[in-house]
Amino acid sequence: MAKINTIALKRKVTATFELPPDIILDLPTMRMAGNEELVISNHKGIVEYTKEKIRVKTKLGIARILGQKLVIKEINRDDIVVTGRVDAVILKD
């Protein structure tokens, strides 16, 4: 019997039952309030932290937040809240 691709199966179940993919597939979500606050959910930890750049590990790769006067306002198991002036968010695997 062929090995079942669990990611493909999870995607099918998510689509069939119209479930939120970020929860079922453990994907990161990012919500911005203007360019002054960024909330990253489903993170895997901080890789780098300066006032101009924050790198966060996610299931999809490293998320780079670029800006000025960046501060991690809050961090917990699920979310990271970044404040300051966010100029760019780049997600690479």
Side-chain angles (χ1 to χ4, degrees):
M1 184 175 207
K3 182 179 176 182
I4 298 173
N5 184 340
T6 57
I7 294 174
L9 179 61
K10 284 182 179 181
R11 288 186 192 277
K12 279 187 175 184
V13 169
T14 299
T16 301
F17 294 106
E18 298 179 3
L19 300 170
D22 56 313
I23 295 171
I24 303 301
L25 301 173
D26 195 30
L27 298 176
T29 60
M30 299 179 198
R31 298 177 305 277
M32 288 187 69
N35 67 341
E36 297 177 1
E37 183 176 89
L38 171 68
V39 179
I40 302 172
S41 299
N42 295 336
H43 68 89
K44 304 294 181 197
I46 296 173
V47 177
E48 181 180 3
Y49 176 34
T50 69
K51 290 183 179 187
E52 290 80 31
K53 176 172 49 174
I54 300 174
R55 293 174 52 218
V56 178
K57 186 175 180 182
T58 73
K59 187 173 182 176
L60 297 178
I62 301 295
R64 285 190 303 158
I65 299 96
L66 305 174
Q68 295 182 4
K69 298 181 181 178
L70 298 176
V71 175
I72 295 178
K73 181 180 175 183
E74 181 182 335
I75 183 168
N76 59 49
R77 195 175 68 137
D78 299 318
D79 299 322
I80 296 175
V81 179
V82 176
T83 60
R85 191 178 93 195
V86 177
D87 295 327
V89 179
I90 303 164
L91 181 60
K92 289 189 174 185
D93 52 359

